[in-house]
Amino acid sequence: GAVVSQHPSRVICKSGTSVKIECRSLDFQATTMFWYRQFPKKSLMLMATSNEGSKATYEQGVEKDKFLINHASLTLSTLTVTSAHPEDSSFYICSARPLPLAGGVNNEQFFGPGTRLTVL
Amino acid sequence: DAKTTQPPSMDCAEGRAANLPCNHSTISGNEYVYWYRQIHSQGPQYIIHGLKNNETNEMASLIITEDRKSSTLILPHATLRDTAVYYCIVSALVVTASKLTFGTGTRLQVTL
């Protein structure tokens, strides 16, 4: 099946620093990638939709200047948490949707393993 | 996207079938039913999806009622490794980006 990787898998940083998380589709191309955040014992919350070569679309309440998203290629999207604070500590998960096969459409998404961010 | 309702938790004995229900009474004609699961501290894993016909793959079966207002995910022989949170999601099948909205899911606990 399609594989999505995230790097790093976990990161601990000091308050005020910026952290970059990478999301890669390893064996397929994805024009669209999604970024989610998940707090302990809660469901996934969509933060933004990232389209290759264009600006990301952020969900209501998500600060675009704090969570910078870059989708520079069909296999890589990055999320940068700027000036991180302890309340940004969370599990960040990306997903990627493959390019549709010729003549077909699909909304299936493949998820990365997640990145656990701890801000001290 | 239509909203879904799932029981918060279920138990199942290992080796037995796990039947996870989902209500999606406001589903519209172009929306599919997707099932994902999330094992603790991992990213969600795709299980199966369907429109109106029943579907089966190597992981599970999906039974959708004729009126499409509810569905059931069936794990035919549950194992301890099937312990996870299972999410039922409805989403339109369009080429342009269509997001998946996760609800609270059902926490399935498989026991010996």
Side-chain angles (χ1 to χ4, degrees), chain A residues 1-16:
Chain A
V3 178
V4 175
S5 71
Q6 283 185 239
H7 178 80
S9 58
R10 59 178 64 230
V11 56
I12 300 173
C13 70
K14 293 182 178 180
S15 186

Side-chain angles (χ1 to χ4, degrees), chain A residues 16-120:
Chain A
T17 60
S18 295
V19 175
K20 180 187 285 187
I21 303 170
E22 291 185 349
C23 176
R24 293 182 185 272
S25 56
L26 298 186
D27 50 3
F28 65 97
Q29 293 182 322
T31 54
T32 304
M33 291 184 172
F34 302 85
W35 286 96
Y36 296 81
R37 180 168 54 181
Q38 186 175 33
F39 292 107
K41 299 187 184 298
K42 300 294 186 182
S43 186
L44 284 77
M45 289 176 48
L46 180 66
M47 299 175 67
T49 301
S50 169
N51 293 298
E52 186 265 339
S54 64
K55 291 183 178 180
T57 302
Y58 290 81
E59 294 299 300
Q60 191 173 10
V62 178
E63 299 175 59
K64 62 180 181 180
D65 294 330
K66 180 169 184 61
F67 299 99
L68 301 178
I69 291 173
N70 183 276
H71 193 160
S73 76
L74 289 174
T75 59
L76 173 64
S77 176
T78 60
L79 168 69
T80 301
V81 183
T82 62
S83 187
H85 291 283
E87 57 266 29
D88 298 323
S89 298
S90 189
F91 193 49
Y92 291 86
I93 306 169
C94 73
S95 71
R97 196 178 73 184
L99 292 174
L101 297 175
V105 293
N106 199 338
N107 195 25
E108 182 178 342
Q109 294 180 25
F110 298 94
F111 286 80
T115 296
R116 187 162 299 284
L117 170 63
T118 302
V119 184
L120 302 177

Side-chain angles (χ1 to χ4, degrees), chain B residues 6 16-22 24 33-37 46-65 70-78 82 86-88 108:
Chain B
Q6 299 177 250
R16 305 296 294 269
N19 297 282
L20 293 92
C22 179
H24 32 79
V33 179
Y34 288 81
W35 283 84
Y36 284 79
R37 72 179 183 184
Y46 166 82
I47 301 173
I48 199 167
H49 75 282
L51 183 62
K52 53 184 177 182
N53 296 323
N54 297 336
E55 302 288 343
T56 295
N57 62 21
E58 65 277 5
M59 289 183 67
S61 294
L62 174 61
I63 309 297
I64 303 174
T65 57
S70 65
S71 61
T72 301
L73 178 74
I74 301 173
L75 307 179
H77 306 286
D82 292 322
Y86 287 76
Y87 296 99
C88 167
L108 175 68

